[in-house]
Amino acid sequence: LLIAASLLLSSFCAAQVLDSVGSLKSGIEQFNEGNFEGAEIELHKAIELNPANPEGFFYLGETSFILNESKKAMENYNKAIALDSIHSKAYKGRGRVKARLEDYYGSIEDFTKAVRLDKKYSDAYFNRALSYLALKEYKSAIEDFSEVIKLNPKDYQAFAQRGTAKFQNGDKKGACSDWSKAGELGYFKIYDTIKKNCN
């Protein structure tokens, strides 16, 4: 009888994990499709069935961030990190929340953790550069935008922002060159900045 009960419990737990995986997959799909309310419902189901999976909390954090619910986003990223201390995307997500709340030094700490875990994480370098830019630490911002460009030479936003950092740091020629490159790559809005500052 004990063996039968144990087998029943084991099969119940296995079914729960399978249901959790299904809900998580559905939640991520709905998140990627832009159905954030539907994503939240499925992700909460996934977490109820398997509260030890950091991905459910990570995607809930991403959903909350997009919905401008900073407190909920922070809580969910914290839970993801508590479950997986090397979750580079959760550190980047939490860093973005801190930057939104103007805790730029705190955001830089999190972005730095993210890039230490993943040396090719261009989005974390880009966001760290934005925080350096907000703090007027232009040299550090330029270094990070350069890292993004090294990883993705067609990232026009990185050229545009590096141009801004160079301009603020007194390098007008370098700024105009970067802005021009951003324009070549399809960021046509930058031509207003070029007309204003480079002619």
Side-chain angles (χ1 to χ4, degrees), residues 142-156:
I142 291 163
E143 283 172 17
D144 274 354
F145 287 130
S146 297
E147 195 64 37
V148 176
I149 290 162
K150 201 188 297 178
L151 292 164
N152 181 6
K154 293 185 177 179
D155 191 326
Y156 59 78

Side-chain angles (χ1 to χ4, degrees), residues 39-84:
E40 272 191 318
I41 291 164
E42 288 301 317
L43 292 166
H44 278 296
K45 272 189 212 169
I47 287 164
E48 274 178 47
L49 292 162
N50 184 9
N53 188 338
E55 288 306 294
F57 289 109
F58 167 69
Y59 275 99
L60 264 182
E62 294 284 274
T63 303
S64 299
F65 183 82
I66 286 168
L67 295 173
N68 209 19
E69 297 171 339
S70 296
K71 187 181 176 188
K72 278 168 76 175
M74 185 83 82
E75 286 168 0
N76 285 307
Y77 290 131
N78 284 340
K79 284 172 185 172
I81 290 164
L83 289 166
D84 179 4

Side-chain angles (χ1 to χ4, degrees), residues 24 28 52-62 76-95 109-118 121 124:
L24 179 60
I28 293 169
N53 188 338
E55 288 306 294
F57 289 109
F58 167 69
Y59 275 99
L60 264 182
E62 294 284 274
N76 285 307
Y77 290 131
N78 284 340
K79 284 172 185 172
I81 290 164
L83 289 166
D84 179 4
S85 63
I86 57 168
H87 199 304
S88 59
K89 289 182 179 179
Y91 282 113
K92 190 215 79 175
R94 191 174 70 178
E109 279 179 29
D110 276 341
F111 297 138
T112 300
K113 283 173 186 168
V115 296
R116 280 184 185 151
L117 290 164
D118 181 356
Y121 198 176

Side-chain angles (χ1 to χ4, degrees), residues 114-181:
V115 296
R116 280 184 185 151
L117 290 164
D118 181 356
K119 302 283 188 217
K120 294 184 177 180
Y121 198 176
S122 64
D123 204 25
Y125 284 112
F126 185 86
N127 279 278
R128 188 171 69 174
L130 291 178
S131 288
Y132 280 130
L133 200 54
L135 291 168
K136 300 182 180 179
E137 294 185 18
Y138 302 122
K139 283 180 80 174
S140 295
I142 291 163
E143 283 172 17
D144 274 354
F145 287 130
S146 297
E147 195 64 37
V148 176
I149 290 162
K150 201 188 297 178
L151 292 164
N152 181 6
K154 293 185 177 179
D155 191 326
Y156 59 78
Q157 287 282 5
F159 278 106
Q161 293 288 357
R162 189 175 71 173
T164 300
K166 285 181 179 178
F167 189 81
Q168 295 294 338
N169 203 42
D171 178 10
K172 183 180 173 180
K173 187 179 176 184
C176 294
S177 174
D178 274 350
W179 288 334
S180 180
K181 185 66 180 175

